[in-house]
Amino acid sequence: MSVLDNWDQWKGFLGERLNAADSKGLDGNSINEMAYRIGDYLANEVEARNPEERVLADLWKVADEQEQHTIANLMLKIVQHK
């Protein structure tokens, strides 16, 4: 089963990656840029596997770059506060 199959598993996976980046000393800007790149890749290259991912992909595709950065930052906040 892929982490993309289940929303809670996906959030857990993102949270683990965020903690790993933080523990390696990456600053907030680097982490935010990484989240943006991951979001862009997923929205453009990976088929959504659950309703939550479909909503994110649809939002990403209609957003401009600044809004996409906001979406990426919000995803980081979601996994930081779970």
Side-chain angles (χ1 to χ4, degrees):
M1 174 183 258
S2 167
V3 296
L4 296 175
D5 289 336
N6 177 285
W7 180 245
D8 289 327
Q9 286 179 332
W10 170 236
K11 290 189 305 184
F13 175 79
L14 274 175
E16 291 169 8
R17 296 304 167 270
L18 176 60
N19 289 337
D22 192 41
S23 69
K24 290 184 180 186
L26 287 175
D27 65 22
N29 289 334
S30 297
I31 292 172
N32 289 341
E33 183 61 26
M34 187 173 15
Y36 169 77
R37 289 182 186 174
I38 290 169
D40 195 53
Y41 173 80
L42 290 172
N44 292 306
E45 303 295 332
V46 177
E47 185 65 33
R49 296 187 184 178
N50 58 56
E52 297 88 351
E53 290 172 7
R54 170 59 45 216
V55 168
L56 282 172
D58 289 347
L59 287 171
W60 193 274
K61 289 176 182 173
V62 299
D64 62 29
E65 186 174 347
Q66 182 179 1
E67 292 166 331
Q68 290 171 342
H69 278 278
T70 299
I71 293 168
N73 290 333
L74 290 170
M75 280 303 301
L76 289 176
K77 284 184 176 187
I78 286 172
V79 299
Q80 287 171 334
H81 295 99
K82 83 173 213 165

